[in-house]
Amino acid sequence: NTLLTFFYLVIIKYQWTDVHIRRMEGWTHSLIWIVSLACSVIFIPMELYNNPYHGCWISSYPEGCELLKPEVPCERGGDWIFWFSLFTVFPLWPSLMAVSIMMCMVYSEVRKVEAAAAKKPWGYTKSSVIHEESKIEDFRNETSSTQRSTGLDDTINQQQEEEGEGSNSQQVSRSRSRAVARQALLFVLAF
């Protein structure tokens, strides 16, 4: 999620092109695979994979032998709390903070662009809307179906309905900012 948010940020705020993104994609995919495989393999010889109520992850065996039932000795995973904190808790909070900060930066950039467009006497022109729609369509074609499920299509359709012939550019501006803020909030909350 952090790297996906990073890509949102550099595309929207810093106008990175497909060339820049393609250069970074290999590195980011490599990083994700290396970290995932390392986290998956490193705990096997340490016998830390056990069943903590909901699936296989870092825990002790039998369940709660250290915390809930101190009188029961642990057969496996005696130091699981340290490793669980190191590989689950500690990476989660900085990542959540980074995603939140980057989403705020994306919202701020959209708000800034809309404020500049609202100051123009003509507001949003039809050609600028068509140009933006073509950029969005290009982006849709490049993303996978799992990334499309973020609600972007619904947001764009709602914006197109609100952009009728006689609509006020300031009203369109606020509706787009609200849509970006809502999407950013839902993205962070789903984290």
Side-chain angles (χ1 to χ4, degrees):
N1 284 346
T2 306
L3 290 173
L4 182 60
T5 307
F6 172 76
F7 282 126
Y8 289 157
L9 177 67
V10 297
I11 289 170
I12 293 171
K13 185 171 177 68
Y14 302 108
Q15 288 86 36
W16 276 24
T17 62
D18 288 344
V19 174
H20 291 103
I21 298 297
R22 291 201 199 301
R23 285 184 196 153
M24 291 291 295
E25 273 182 332
W27 291 102
T28 57
H29 285 282
S30 299
L31 175 70
I32 291 168
W33 276 103
I34 289 169
V35 170
S36 298
L37 288 174
C39 288
S40 298
V41 174
I42 195 170
F43 301 118
I44 293 172
M46 299 169 71
E47 295 184 334
L48 287 173
Y49 282 127
N50 295 298
N51 184 6
Y53 307 110
H54 61 284
C56 207
W57 190 232
I58 303 169
S59 71
S60 59
Y61 179 81
E63 290 178 16
C65 63
E66 275 186 0
L67 299 176
L68 302 176
K69 305 171 194 169
E71 67 278 356
V72 177
C74 289
E75 295 177 26
R76 297 168 44 120
D79 55 349
W80 73 276
I81 295 173
F82 169 76
W83 293 106
F84 180 81
S85 300
L86 186 65
F87 282 90
T88 305
V89 176
F90 292 130
L92 178 68
W93 291 107
S95 182
L96 183 59
M97 290 299 294
V99 167
S100 299
I101 290 168
M102 286 188 281
M103 281 300 191
C104 287
M105 291 171 70
V106 167
Y107 172 74
S108 174
E109 182 65 20
V110 170
R111 190 76 175 156
K112 184 175 82 174
V113 168
E114 289 176 339
K119 289 180 183 177
K120 294 180 182 179
W122 57 86
Y124 289 109
T125 63
K126 188 73 170 171
S127 63
S128 68
V129 171
I130 291 172
H131 178 71
E132 290 301 316
E133 287 174 354
S134 68
K135 284 171 128 180
I136 291 169
E137 189 61 35
D138 291 343
F139 181 74
R140 279 186 190 153
N141 293 335
E142 292 177 6
T143 56
S144 67
S145 61
T146 57
Q147 292 172 340
R148 283 188 214 151
S149 65
T150 61
L152 182 61
D153 293 335
D154 297 334
T155 304
I156 292 168
N157 291 337
Q158 177 187 2
Q159 290 170 1
Q160 289 172 346
E161 290 172 5
E162 292 174 358
E163 292 175 1
E165 288 296 319
S167 68
N168 182 351
S169 65
Q170 188 69 22
Q171 181 183 7
V172 172
S173 174
R174 279 187 244 127
S175 70
R176 288 180 185 219
S177 293
R178 283 193 302 263
V180 168
R182 183 176 58 246
Q183 287 299 114
L185 181 64
L186 291 173
F187 188 83
V188 171
L189 291 176
F191 197 85

